[in-house]
Amino acid sequence: MKEERKSMLIVISGPSGTGKGTICERLLAEDPSLTFSVSATTRYQRDNEIDGVHYHFISEAEYDRLLAEDAFLEHATVHAHRYGTLKSQVQQLMDKGLNVVLDIDPQGAKEVMRQRPDCVSIFILPPSYEALRVRLHTRNTDDPREIERRLGNARGEIEQMHLYQYAVVNDDLELAYQQVSAIIAAEKQRTARYIPVIE
Ligand code: 5GP
């Protein structure tokens, strides 16, 4: 029997600096069935970021235009910047049979879970608040004010972890990656995602 699977939407959230970006990058590099949904944002572009790869960096006016066109599957203001998942992009990727990874905050995740109850939701936790502080400072991608804002928001984000199906603590990156990878592997095998093709 040939195996065909319905494509899935995988929502990954966690406080800034928790390592979810690194976990997502490795998942995408190692599993060709996965692809990343590139969000649109009005946030400043960091030195290590590529427009169209990490985000679509757009102006406030362009963002407003997309909002008015109802172009977002979900959108939210996070750490005082605006971010949104493009409906058309997610649909095109899923139509190709790919499993789409969304790295989005809990407000957006809640909306995706409402619209797509069959999505897989995973929350990545830091081992401690102090570890988060150290990580945000050592990765050196944001200024001190932005870091404080992100740390201040972390507690509120962690309080929402019960909304997710799975939680993974990133104390050891390799272990956390293996755990997220195992969740995705198991989710692919759900009977509900199976399209039987009998030859
Ligand atoms: P960063 O600015 O560090 O790239 O992302 C900040 C936060 O915004 C992260 O929690 C990230 O998951 C979230 N985020 C990124 N893109 C989106 C999006 O399209 N929608 C929502 N709701 N959150 C997003």
Side-chain angles (χ1 to χ4, degrees):
M1 196 180 293
K2 223 169 102 190
E3 279 201 35
E4 285 205 14
R5 303 269 155 193
K6 291 180 196 154
S7 48
M8 31 180 203
L9 204 48
I10 303 162
V11 175
I12 302 189
S13 301
S16 192
T18 210
K20 64 183 186 308
T22 311
I23 293 172
C24 286
E25 271 171 29
R26 183 151 167 214
L27 288 168
L28 291 156
E30 297 192 9
D31 181 347
S33 84
L34 301 181
T35 189
F36 186 64
S37 162
V38 181
S39 295
T41 185
T42 60
R43 165 164 77 58
Y44 54 90
Q45 185 173 351
R46 294 173 180 146
D47 290 344
N48 61 341
E49 288 177 328
I50 302 163
D51 189 23
V53 174
H54 297 94
Y55 284 105
H56 298 291
F57 293 97
I58 60 171
S59 65
E60 297 287 345
E62 176 78 353
Y63 191 97
D64 285 336
R65 191 183 59 77
L66 291 169
L67 263 182
E69 285 174 2
D70 194 24
F72 294 126
L73 174 64
E74 63 71 36
H75 59 89
T77 298
V78 191
H79 315 312
H81 310 291
R82 297 196 288 172
Y83 301 81
T85 302
L86 293 159
K87 236 185 244 181
S88 57
Q89 193 193 149
V90 170
Q91 204 48 56
Q92 277 167 21
L93 295 170
M94 291 187 85
D95 288 348
K96 284 188 192 163
L98 292 163
N99 297 316
V100 181
V101 176
L102 304 181
D103 170 350
I104 61 176
D105 90 307
Q107 304 168 73
K110 228 183 287 180
E111 180 56 23
V112 174
M113 289 174 205
R114 192 185 66 78
Q115 290 186 45
R116 311 290 290 255
D118 60 339
C119 73
V120 179
S121 54
I122 308 170
F123 195 88
I124 313 287
L125 288 150
S128 68
Y129 193 63
E130 199 39 44
L132 206 58
R133 178 185 299 280
V134 170
R135 175 100 210 290
L136 282 171
H137 280 282
T138 50
R139 77 176 187 183
N140 208 20
T141 48
D142 300 295
D143 65 40
R145 215 172 111 220
E146 180 79 22
I147 290 175
E148 284 314 308
R149 185 191 285 149
R150 285 167 182 255
L151 279 169
N153 291 339
R155 285 188 204 279
E157 289 175 337
I158 291 170
E159 277 166 13
Q160 313 225 39
M161 67 168 270
H162 67 275
L163 299 172
Y164 294 73
Q165 294 163 315
Y166 300 96
V168 170
V169 178
N170 182 12
D171 197 359
D172 170 332
L173 187 60
E174 179 60 30
L175 182 61
Y177 164 73
Q178 293 299 342
Q179 288 171 336
V180 175
S181 188
I183 292 165
I184 294 173
E187 284 287 340
K188 283 183 185 172
Q189 300 308 121
R190 276 191 189 274
T191 50
R193 301 195 199 282
Y194 187 66
I195 308 167
V197 181
I198 303 168
E199 288 167 345

